[in-house]
Amino acid sequence: MKKVLPITFFLIAFLISWELFNYFNHDFIFVIPSPSQVILRLWDKADRFGFHTIVTLKEMVAGLAIALLAAFPSAWIMDRSRLASSVLQPLFILVQCIPMFTLAPIMVVWFGWSFTAIVIPTALMVFFPLTINIYQGLRSVPQEFEDFFKTHQATTWQVLTKLKLPWALPHFFSGLRLAAAIAGIAAVAGEWAGSQEGLGVLMMESRRDMDLETNFAALLCLTLLSYLFYFITVSCERLASQRRPLKLLIKQAFLSRWAKSFLILTASAAFIYSCQRNAGSGQVRLVLDWLPNPNHIPLYVGLKKGFFQEEGINLQIQKLQEPGHSTTYLLLEQCEIALSYMPHTIRTFQKQAELEPIGILIQEPLNALIFRDKEGVQHLQDLNLKKFGFCTGGKEAQTLQALLSNHSIYPKELLNVGFDLVTSLGMKKVDVIYGAYWNIETAHLRSLGIPTRFFKLTELGIPSYYELIFLANKKTPYSQPFFVDRFKKALQKSIDYSRLHPDEAFAIYCHYQPDKSEKTRQWELEAWQLTIPTLADQQTISPEIWHAFEFWLRAHQLL
């Protein structure tokens, strides 16, 4: 009790200070919400946070279980053989040095959009500390004790179970405490690359929407999960410290009421989850260009109203946390249809990719140069000596430089701000952003009290092009007329219905996005109203538009 009171007092004082700081520093709404807002969001969306927490919990449990099953035999092999130790240790260190979020997309390619693709990176991340600590524990047994066992003709199994494993328990729990603490981070890293649900996905989506209350509430749930795992580990360690026989300790641990409940819940959840995944066979997987936003509303309308089903297409929409990667999954046959950007598609064609455009969603460019209103910018030349922020490097940065050069605009600085375009403009870190959409980010910024203006790319001399198009792999039936005609018919019917019934279409979209806050839905409704005129009027891709834009890219050495 004496230890708890100071910690509680410090925590309360910290939360009060945080709340007051946010109250008197309004600009920090772009960085961190107040504790009261986080708690209110947890209360309002308790069911959604519970759902995503359970998903991440299953991934953490499965990852730890796999890591444990692999760690013990690996440590034992290294203990038995110096050659194995000299080979495996550098290999384990190499695996540990690889950031798991870079490995997770490979897992999606190997295992598809499945539970396995998330669990394996989680297991790999916690495997190293477990294995090394168990190995050090096995190696720490005094040689005279081993000689004593061998003198009395103990078998290898008896030496392991009656001497080495009990002796290695402190090292094992040391590694397990570390693994329990980082299991949540490992699971979130996997979710960012290939999951459709979980706390990591919730954090990613809420961050894009600048819904920091949801972002921090999800982070709080992840922190509590990690504390739960750590507490269970410490409790097991205390039980083991009673110096009872190893067999009795294991029996007590597995027969305890908490352990039985935990195992039953985990096994039931895993069974239900696997049944849900298996039920999706035969579906046509469509990977979005990014996270769901008002540009994608007609797709959800087509699902809800059954337009795709009427054409015999059992569509399944997969969201993507990293924009621009949809064509990669398409080429590797991890999806049947990909939604992509026309500039990116043309560059993909230059690499001899066998892809076929099969439909149009957005028929005009959405990218723009967006800047704060009332900054004295009336004409393009007024952008001289301004700070420009862009979201990606490579060809997109070169495109921005070509646009500015064509109009003799000389920026004060060009900054790659990643995907935090709204934050960088809102906090006045940059004066102009490039890579944001005039129908999405302007409405978002307006909801944050930042009125903006913009110059469309067509005003800067770029020929009009299709912003979002659907692609299929030429090697598959999904690029053949029999499927394409049906897909185009269902898609255009979805777009036309969305245009005629905009309020119902937005309500359908919200139904499929239950995690979005009311604040996000308000500005996305405005963004949807701006999006409606940009939706495709028909599904025939014009060769003139395609070749004119491709010619412009070539003329400016952007291919």
Side-chain angles (χ1 to χ4, degrees):
M1 179 65 72
K2 291 182 179 179
K3 291 182 179 180
V4 172
L5 286 176
I7 294 174
T8 305
F9 177 78
F10 174 79
L11 182 61
I12 294 173
F14 174 74
L15 293 175
I16 292 174
S17 301
W18 180 359
E19 186 77 30
L20 292 173
F21 179 82
N22 276 71
Y23 181 80
F24 291 107
N25 295 273
H26 186 69
D27 288 344
F28 274 78
I29 61 171
F30 297 101
V31 181
I32 187 171
S34 65
S36 59
Q37 291 173 322
V38 175
I39 298 299
L40 284 174
R41 184 56 48 80
L42 269 173
W43 178 264
D44 291 338
K45 295 274 188 178
D47 57 333
R48 298 306 303 166
F49 285 108
F51 168 76
H52 289 290
T53 299
I54 290 173
V55 171
T56 303
L57 172 63
K58 290 186 290 186
E59 294 163 355
M60 293 170 67
V61 170
L64 271 172
I66 293 173
L68 278 169
L69 290 174
F72 276 104
S74 299
W76 180 73
I77 290 171
M78 290 194 297
D79 179 56
R80 292 281 296 172
S81 169
R82 286 189 176 183
L83 177 61
S85 176
S86 61
V87 172
L88 292 179
Q89 280 204 69
L91 179 62
F92 295 158
I93 294 172
L94 178 64
V95 171
Q96 187 67 18
C97 290
I98 300 174
M100 285 302 109
F101 64 85
T102 62
L103 191 61
I106 301 175
M107 295 297 162
V108 173
V109 171
W110 286 346
F111 302 105
W113 307 88
S114 66
F115 185 65
T116 307
I118 314 303
V119 169
I120 290 181
T122 306
L124 286 174
M125 193 166 179
V126 301
F127 169 74
F128 179 77
L130 271 175
T131 304
I132 294 301
N133 276 277
I134 295 172
Y135 171 66
Q136 292 297 330
L138 296 177
R139 295 287 293 173
S140 66
V141 177
Q143 186 61 45
E144 56 269 24
F145 287 3
E146 286 193 57
D147 294 339
F148 178 81
F149 269 68
K150 291 176 182 178
T151 301
H152 289 78
Q153 299 180 345
T155 64
T156 303
W157 177 252
Q158 288 174 327
V159 172
L160 176 65
T161 57
K162 296 183 179 296
L163 174 62
K164 291 201 167 188
L165 284 181
W167 192 275
L169 277 179
H171 293 80
F172 163 68
F173 281 110
S174 177
L176 192 59
R177 285 199 304 269
L178 182 59
I182 65 176
I185 301 172
V188 165
E191 288 174 353
W192 282 349
S195 183
Q196 303 295 298
E197 52 207 19
L199 292 175
V201 175
L202 186 59
M203 280 189 265
M204 180 69 75
E205 292 184 353
S206 59
R207 180 65 184 173
R208 183 199 73 84
D209 295 333
M210 282 292 293
D211 183 7
L212 297 182
E213 295 86 357
T214 298
N215 189 275
F216 273 74
L219 182 61
L220 177 60
C221 292
L222 181 65
T223 303
L224 293 176
L225 266 187
S226 298
Y227 268 114
L228 172 64
F229 272 64
Y230 190 84
F231 173 76
I232 292 173
T233 302
V234 171
S235 299
C236 292
E237 187 175 9
R238 288 175 180 171
L239 183 64
S241 66
Q242 297 176 10
R243 299 294 181 183
R244 298 177 184 177
L246 184 62
K247 187 183 296 185
L248 180 61
L249 287 174
I250 295 174
K251 184 177 179 181
Q252 287 180 337
F254 279 96
L255 289 179
S256 68
R257 189 178 303 171
W258 279 87
K260 285 192 291 186
S261 302
F262 188 73
L263 287 171
I264 292 170
L265 284 173
T266 304
S268 302
F271 175 75
I272 294 170
Y273 189 90
S274 62
C275 291
Q276 291 174 340
R277 289 297 178 183
N278 293 334
S281 58
Q283 290 181 324
V284 177
R285 298 165 296 177
L286 189 159
V287 174
L288 299 179
D289 58 301
W290 199 18
L291 297 169
N293 59 67
N295 291 334
H296 307 131
I297 286 179
L299 298 175
Y300 292 101
V301 170
L303 279 182
K304 183 68 174 179
K305 306 303 290 187
F307 297 142
F308 291 101
Q309 196 71 38
E310 289 172 3
E311 299 299 326
I313 300 173
N314 191 11
L315 198 68
Q316 178 189 32
I317 298 176
Q318 302 273 12
K319 52 193 174 185
L320 203 62
Q321 281 74 36
E322 191 72 21
H325 285 185
S326 59
T327 52
T328 302
Y329 291 113
L330 182 62
L331 289 167
L332 293 169
E333 300 184 6
Q334 293 304 312
C335 63
E336 285 69 51
I337 306 173
L339 185 61
S340 185
Y341 317 105
M342 182 171 158
H344 177 75
T345 301
I346 291 177
R347 295 187 183 107
T348 305
F349 284 174
Q350 299 302 306
K351 299 177 182 178
Q352 308 301 315
E354 296 186 358
L355 300 177
E356 182 73 26
I358 63 170
I360 310 167
L361 181 60
I362 303 293
Q363 65 184 3
E364 64 179 82
L366 299 179
N367 208 340
L369 295 177
I370 302 175
F371 48 90
R372 291 183 297 273
D373 197 7
K374 299 179 181 179
E375 292 284 336
V377 177
Q378 299 296 328
H379 307 284
L380 278 172
Q381 294 302 318
D382 296 331
L383 297 178
N384 262 309
L385 301 179
K386 299 288 187 182
K387 285 186 178 180
F388 284 74
F390 59 94
C391 65
T392 54
K395 294 297 182 182
E396 294 303 317
Q398 294 178 30
T399 303
L400 174 60
Q401 291 172 341
L403 290 172
L404 299 180
S405 177
N406 287 349
H407 294 273
S408 301
I409 298 172
Y410 303 100
K412 181 179 180 180
E413 193 174 0
L414 288 175
L415 299 172
N416 189 339
V417 297
F419 297 106
D420 287 328
L421 291 165
V422 170
T423 303
S424 60
L425 189 66
M427 296 194 70
K428 299 183 178 181
K429 300 297 182 183
V430 296
D431 304 308
V432 188
I433 54 175
Y434 171 79
Y437 284 170
W438 59 261
N439 65 323
I440 302 291
E441 273 72 19
T442 54
H444 192 180
L445 285 160
R446 194 176 297 112
S447 73
L448 297 170
I450 307 169
T452 58
R453 294 178 58 236
F454 57 87
F455 293 117
K456 294 183 179 181
L457 293 190
T458 49
E459 298 178 60
L460 279 74
I462 290 185
S464 184
Y465 61 87
Y466 305 115
E467 185 65 56
L468 290 173
I469 59 176
F470 295 95
L471 302 172
N473 195 325
K474 286 185 178 180
K475 299 178 181 178
T476 66
Y478 303 98
S479 64
Q480 303 305 313
F482 174 73
F483 176 83
V484 173
D485 292 343
R486 291 185 291 121
F487 178 76
K488 285 183 175 181
K489 182 179 178 181
L491 175 61
Q492 194 59 50
K493 191 182 293 186
S494 302
I495 291 174
D496 293 341
Y497 190 93
S498 300
R499 189 182 281 115
L500 291 173
H501 307 88
D503 294 337
E504 182 186 354
F506 187 77
I508 290 172
Y509 167 74
C510 291
H511 168 75
Y512 281 96
Q513 311 300 324
D515 297 321
K516 290 186 180 289
S517 67
E518 189 59 35
K519 181 174 66 175
T520 298
R521 290 178 178 180
Q522 288 176 2
W523 70 258
E524 282 198 336
L525 176 59
E526 181 183 345
W528 165 234
Q529 293 166 350
L530 294 172
T531 303
I532 293 172
T534 71
L535 296 173
D537 294 325
Q538 47 79 37
Q539 291 300 314
T540 301
I541 295 177
S542 168
E544 290 79 12
I545 291 177
W546 189 282
H547 293 312
F549 182 65
E550 185 175 357
F551 177 80
W552 186 89
L553 291 175
R554 289 186 182 279
H556 291 81
Q557 300 180 346
L558 296 172
L559 287 179

